[in-house]
Amino acid sequence: MKKYTFRSNLVISSYALVALLLVSCLGEPPASMQVSPIDATKPNQVLRWKMTTTWPPNFPVIGEVAEKYAEWVGELSNGQIQIKVYGGGELVPPLEAFDAVSQGVIEMGCGVSYYWAGKTPAAQFFAAVPFGMNSQQLTSWLEVGGGYELWKKTYAPFNLVPFLGGNTGVQMGGWFNKEINSVEDFKGLKMRLPGIGGKVLEKAGGAAVLVAGSEIYTSLERGVIDATEWIGPYHDYKMGFHKIAKYYYTPGWHETGSQLEFFINKTLYDRLPPHLQAVLEAASKRAQVWVLAEFDKQNGIFLDKLVNEEQVEIRQFSKETMDALRVYTEEAIQEMIGDDPWSKKVYESYKQYQARIAKWSTVTEKAYYNTIQQ
Ligand code: CA
């Protein structure tokens, strides 16, 4: 298993940090770093691109898929597109990937669209919405429900084209040292819970604390925070949270299937011949399948380790707790999208799709899981 380290203050879904960091400007890119030109007179021209990610180098699953995407694009294009992947901070700071690709400093990027909510609030709906769709439902909205078209329109003003980059599946609700029996138990709780989830926590009387990934363990150990969420058993085990927290709560209502992305400079993309555009899309579909498959595989293995080897107690949030958080979520989203008509349009499409598909999932999948002994 590859080791990974945090080379920067990367915080998964840190809305506030994104807003903070995105105000910094990259300035004029040096000519040597401009995107590779396409020469239409050379149909078999080899294109050498860079991809910058928002993850530390070799980050399990979500960093690995960037390398795999590069490999698949190479194979599918018969070597015509060669992508070299860089971890966050190696070329540009992680949260400047959007600007770097938009401006043509770098050809491609890999991340999660909620990082760019400071650019356009609508971006978050293509990543993770508390009490939102799961990976299966979200893929349906994106693939055949009009979601992807809305995503492309959201990124077009920034000179970017998005591609699906995988999905984490439902995440875990987080690590706590006290029981959460009702929404009242969030009062006064200092928790590392970024994004919209953090705003929901604050509505419930808690404090959402911004903590860099590399500092979560120490902050929890020293009581700077009382609780934290991260991803799921695989990544959480590696962080060692089970050594310093009593209860592992489910489900991750705040990230019900976080969608990853690749994005490419639109000027560059528009100049590509159709077969190479198709290659980029085909590889992204493969990434969408691989990431969820790998998450499910690894989380199954590491959940077993946590429960059977580390004696971690898995707890479930009560229905009353979830109902209360859901009300706060709707309030938080309405505040975040404010008067932005485009965000409202995207959210409306998302909510309508979720309302319909959730009924179908309830009749089939929920009924199935409710009636079988696992
Ligand atoms: Ca998370």
Side-chain angles (χ1 to χ4, degrees):
M1 193 174 297
K2 288 177 182 172
K3 286 197 170 174
Y4 62 96
T5 54
F6 287 91
R7 293 190 184 176
S8 62
N9 285 346
L10 174 70
V11 179
I12 301 284
S13 82
S14 167
Y15 179 78
L17 185 61
V18 170
L20 190 71
L21 292 182
L22 289 180
V23 297
S24 65
C25 181
L26 285 168
E28 274 301 302
S32 60
M33 288 184 72
Q34 292 288 352
V35 293
S36 316
I38 303 289
D39 184 346
T41 62
K42 296 179 184 172
N44 295 320
Q45 179 184 4
V46 173
L47 304 170
R48 297 182 197 282
W49 294 351
K50 295 175 288 297
M51 183 199 293
T52 184
T53 71
T54 51
W55 334 114
N58 300 318
F59 196 89
V61 192
I62 56 182
E64 289 172 273
V65 74
E67 298 284 355
K68 288 189 177 292
Y69 183 83
E71 184 187 317
W72 296 330
V73 166
E75 285 171 5
L76 287 165
S77 68
N78 199 23
Q80 209 180 336
I81 300 179
Q82 297 186 12
I83 303 171
K84 184 164 171 46
V85 178
Y86 294 87
E90 291 187 320
L91 290 179
V92 293
L95 299 180
E96 287 185 9
F98 189 92
D99 279 346
V101 177
S102 170
Q103 295 173 10
V105 177
I106 295 168
E107 288 84 0
M108 287 197 74
C110 172
V112 184
S113 63
Y114 50 40
Y115 286 144
W116 324 124
K119 295 278 184 190
T120 171
Q124 64 204 320
F125 300 121
F126 309 108
V129 177
F131 296 96
M133 290 188 268
N134 66 17
S135 60
Q136 188 176 332
Q137 297 164 339
L138 187 67
T139 299
S140 176
W141 178 59
L142 291 170
E143 186 72 17
V144 294
Y148 184 54
E149 285 68 30
L150 290 170
W151 196 356
K152 283 194 284 192
K153 284 182 183 167
T154 301
Y155 275 21
F158 300 94
N159 198 33
L160 294 172
V161 180
F163 289 101
L164 276 61
N167 193 293
T168 65
V170 180
Q171 298 193 9
M172 286 295 282
W175 297 87
F176 297 80
N177 272 314
K178 71 168 194 176
E179 292 184 39
I180 302 295
N181 295 315
S182 80
V183 74
E184 297 293 314
D185 292 319
F186 284 109
K187 283 212 169 101
L189 190 85
K190 291 175 290 179
M191 182 171 181
R192 185 259 176 203
L193 182 60
I196 305 174
K199 294 188 183 305
V200 174
L201 174 67
E202 292 189 340
K203 284 182 176 289
V209 184
L210 193 61
V211 184
S214 57
E215 293 163 11
I216 301 175
Y217 185 93
T218 315
S219 299
L220 187 59
E221 190 179 30
R222 293 182 183 168
V224 177
I225 52 174
D226 305 313
T228 188
E229 73 84 53
W230 185 233
I231 304 177
Y234 181 38
H235 294 78
D236 291 14
Y237 181 94
K238 288 164 168 287
M239 293 289 258
F241 297 138
H242 55 280
K243 295 172 189 160
I244 50 171
K246 280 187 199 162
Y247 308 114
Y248 196 19
Y249 269 86
T250 191
W253 54 271
H254 60 295
E255 290 191 80
T256 59
S258 295
Q259 177 64 38
L260 315 177
E261 64 175 2
F262 296 106
F263 48 91
I264 182 170
N265 179 278
K266 189 170 183 302
T267 307
L268 172 65
Y269 176 82
D270 289 343
R271 288 180 194 157
L272 290 175
H275 77 278
L276 291 182
Q277 291 180 341
V279 161
L280 295 173
E281 185 176 350
S284 98
K285 298 293 167 58
R286 189 167 172 186
Q288 187 74 3
V289 173
W290 183 83
V291 169
L292 184 61
E294 184 70 4
F295 263 110
D296 278 344
K297 172 187 163 185
Q298 299 292 358
N299 280 332
I301 292 169
F302 282 83
L303 174 66
D304 191 52
K305 277 184 191 291
L306 285 170
V307 172
N308 295 320
E309 293 175 17
E310 307 295 339
Q311 281 76 49
V312 166
E313 259 190 73
I314 306 289
R315 296 289 181 95
Q316 192 168 340
F317 293 122
S318 68
K319 183 177 183 307
E320 291 70 26
T321 304
M322 295 285 275
D323 286 346
L325 294 172
R326 190 166 193 168
V327 171
Y328 290 138
T329 293
E330 188 58 35
E331 286 177 21
I333 290 174
Q334 290 304 332
E335 285 168 16
M336 287 183 79
I337 62 180
D339 297 324
D340 180 27
W342 182 250
S343 292
K344 285 182 190 296
K345 184 181 168 70
V346 173
Y347 186 50
E348 200 173 302
S349 168
Y350 184 101
K351 288 296 282 184
Q352 282 176 1
Y353 204 81
Q354 182 181 10
R356 189 168 59 233
I357 203 167
K359 286 179 191 156
W360 167 236
S361 301
T362 299
V363 165
T364 49
E365 304 216 23
K366 189 175 177 189
Y368 172 64
Y369 290 123
N370 283 346
T371 52
I372 58 163
Q373 185 71 41
Q374 295 277 15

